[in-house]
Amino acid sequence: MGRRSDHSREEIHQLALQAAEALVAEGGYQALSARKVARRIGYTVGTLYLVFDNLEDLVWQLNGRTLDVLHQRLIDRLSQGASGEVALKQLAFAYIEFAQTQTARWGMLFEYAGGSESDLPEWYQEKLGRVFGLVEQALQGPLAGCDPNTLRRASRVLWASVHGICLLRIRQRLDLAGGQTTEEMTQMLIEGFLAGMQQRRSART
Amino acid sequence: MGRRSDHSREEIHQLALQAAEALVAEGGYQALSARKVARRIGYTVGTLYLVFDNLEDLVWQLNGRTLDVLHQRLIDRLSQGASGEVALKQLAFAYIEFAQTQTARWGMLFEYAGGSESDLPEWYQEKLGRVFGLVEQALQGPLAGCDPNTLRRASRVLWASVHGICLLRIRQRLDLAGGQTTEEMTQMLIEGFLAGMQQRRSART
DNA sequence: ACCTGAACACCGTTCAAGT
DNA sequence: ACCTGAACACCGTTCAAGT
């Protein structure tokens, strides 16, 4: 056997990632396995290891693609010229929608995945930064006058918080007697946090 | 073979949970397997299935114990008579410390775990409620005058946010150029959110 | 050069059979 | 009644061997 060259290395790479995404979409992250991916694209498991270091490597790349899609989705949902609280809510609601409609894929973004204790790949950090950047930009209006460092911190704090609400809601860890939507809770967070930050800023001037 | 009765069913149950916790502490959640747990307590895998429905059942019970320990830890770190912002920060810092020192165990609390799409066990919900209850109580001072429903919602929003910051920090998903501690970010959240909620409340009266 | 097939060391779960 | 041992259907990863 051996030697088919039906596909280039790059093609196999892309096919594998697509197959992996389909598996995750259909059965959650538990449904993802190297053997299943290989079977789906019509190659042997061994071939996968010609193109990925290991399954973790494949997951990083899959997550990278998810971050790209998420970033684009956030941009699409942002009304032109929107800024401040309005923009923040649009971003947050788009984020919630993404998490709710593509739950498995979204969930993988923040799972351990780094089975090793090493740092994230730097290109992954950069993709994360692009997402946070949208929030930072939307905060620029409401927090005008804050130093850039505070602005940066505030955007990370706010977005990690939105993520936390989203996560616990989807994982059903919130112990709420129904009624509350993720959107309502997020709204409470954004309005509260923003009002508080503005007050504290003006108290200083 | 068969029939040893060195231990009662209940004893095997406890031994297994202890062994599972040790495995997780040593090697993360990936190091947990039914076969390893069985080996550690000196029984065959089959025996484990006499005492647990499956591995997921074991994980739920392990998480239940973790929630108990966490709840106690939070109470211990709360100064007697502390309330309001002071109490909230004590709770949050204790939570962060727990997450940082018992990362693997803590992380399992919010992973999928419900591979099935069913609801959480009701006793698990109740344990979660006990933890949120501490936050709700601490918020009672600062948000005096709010209706109970708003208070309840605010406590969930705030704690989910603290969790989100904690999670993204530990999973290194925050894209921060160092310097910022989890505590500093959490402090920004608590102070901001509290100030905002108080302002909005007084604006209404 | 490219890919396979088999091997290795693991999994979770079940259940007939032993004591 | 309690526990075992073997079986079944899976894993991730490696690598000699085939074309």
Side-chain angles (χ1 to χ4, degrees), chain A residues 25-122:
Chain A
E26 290 164 19
Y29 77 101
Q30 336 207 17
L32 180 64
S33 85
R35 293 178 117 105
K36 281 192 202 152
V37 169
R39 209 177 306 143
R40 267 210 188 204
I41 64 174
Y43 281 84
T44 335
V45 227
T47 304
L48 233 50
Y49 287 81
L50 245 60
V51 156
F52 298 98
D53 292 341
N54 46 44
L55 198 60
E56 196 181 314
D57 180 27
L58 186 152
V59 170
W60 278 120
Q61 309 213 25
L62 191 157
N63 281 346
R65 284 166 57 129
T66 305
L67 281 178
D68 288 341
V69 174
L70 171 61
H71 182 248
Q72 192 55 52
R73 186 68 57 94
L74 293 179
I75 288 177
D76 289 345
R77 288 282 187 287
L78 208 51
S79 304
Q80 248 197 336
S83 68
E85 197 172 307
V86 173
L88 285 172
K89 284 185 190 171
Q90 286 179 345
L91 288 172
F93 288 3
Y95 187 77
I96 293 168
E97 194 202 339
F98 187 83
Q100 284 173 340
T101 56
Q102 320 216 23
T103 310
R105 205 192 204 196
W106 164 79
M108 291 184 74
L109 289 176
F110 308 96
E111 301 281 318
Y112 205 14
S116 47
E117 56 293 292
S118 64
D119 289 341
L120 303 199
E122 124 186 56

Side-chain angles (χ1 to χ4, degrees), chain B residues 23-71:
Chain B
L23 283 167
V24 170
E26 291 163 19
Y29 78 101
Q30 337 208 18
L32 181 64
S33 87
R35 293 180 119 106
K36 280 192 205 153
V37 169
R39 209 177 304 143
R40 264 208 193 206
I41 64 174
Y43 280 85
T44 335
V45 225
T47 304
L48 232 50
Y49 288 80
L50 247 60
V51 155
F52 297 98
D53 293 341
N54 46 45
L55 197 61
E56 195 181 314
D57 179 27
L58 186 151
V59 170
W60 279 120
Q61 309 214 26
L62 190 157
N63 281 346
R65 285 167 56 130
T66 305
L67 281 177
D68 289 342
V69 174
L70 171 61
H71 183 247

Side-chain angles (χ1 to χ4, degrees), chain B:
Chain B
M1 305 284 148
R3 163 172 291 274
R4 303 178 9 188
S5 284
D6 295 344
H7 304 281
S8 71
R9 243 177 163 70
E10 182 54 33
E11 283 170 332
I12 294 180
H13 185 99
Q14 294 302 326
L15 284 171
L17 286 176
Q18 280 166 29
E21 279 164 4
L23 283 167
V24 170
E26 291 163 19
Y29 78 101
Q30 337 208 18
L32 181 64
S33 87
R35 293 180 119 106
K36 280 192 205 153
V37 169
R39 209 177 304 143
R40 264 208 193 206
I41 64 174
Y43 280 85
T44 335
V45 225
T47 304
L48 232 50
Y49 288 80
L50 247 60
V51 155
F52 297 98
D53 293 341
N54 46 45
L55 197 61
E56 195 181 314
D57 179 27
L58 186 151
V59 170
W60 279 120
Q61 309 214 26
L62 190 157
N63 281 346
R65 285 167 56 130
T66 305
L67 281 177
D68 289 342
V69 174
L70 171 61
H71 183 247
Q72 192 56 52
R73 186 70 56 95
L74 293 178
I75 289 177
D76 289 346
R77 288 283 189 285
L78 208 51
S79 304
Q80 247 197 336
S83 68
E85 197 173 308
V86 173
L88 285 171
K89 285 185 188 169
Q90 287 178 346
L91 287 172
F93 288 3
Y95 187 76
I96 293 167
E97 194 202 338
F98 188 84
Q100 284 173 339
T101 55
Q102 321 218 20
T103 309
R105 207 192 203 195
W106 164 79
M108 291 184 74
L109 289 175
F110 307 95
E111 301 281 318
Y112 206 13
S116 48
E117 56 292 292
S118 65
D119 290 342
L120 304 199
E122 125 186 56
W123 57 264
Y124 196 82
Q125 283 280 8
E126 198 240 313
K127 284 179 193 293
L128 277 169
R130 276 219 300 273
V131 172
F132 283 119
L134 295 173
V135 181
E136 200 172 333
Q137 209 177 332
L139 267 176
Q140 234 147 22
L143 298 190
C146 284
D147 67 304
N149 238 318
T150 305
L151 184 66
R152 193 179 172 82
R153 278 162 72 161
S155 68
R156 268 64 179 173
V157 167
L158 184 59
W159 213 248
S161 299
V162 169
H163 176 73
I165 292 171
C166 214
L167 184 81
L168 295 201
R169 202 82 214 321
I170 284 182
R171 299 275 210 270
Q172 301 183 185
R173 298 299 203 279
L174 270 183
D175 175 57
L176 281 168
Q180 249 86 258
T181 65
T182 313
E183 282 84 357
E184 283 168 342
M185 299 185 70
T186 305
Q187 208 153 336
M188 187 183 219
L189 169 76
I190 293 178
E191 290 172 5
F193 183 70
L194 225 54
M197 289 297 288
Q198 286 172 332
Q199 178 198 310
R200 297 173 59 78
R201 183 198 48 178
S202 54
R204 238 183 287 112
T205 57

Side-chain angles (χ1 to χ4, degrees), chain A residues 17 23 27 97 121 131 137 144 153 168-169 179 185 187 192 204:
Chain A
L17 285 176
L23 284 167
E97 194 202 339
V131 172
Q137 209 176 334
R153 278 162 73 161
L168 294 201
R169 204 79 213 323
M185 298 184 70
Q187 210 154 335
R204 238 183 286 113

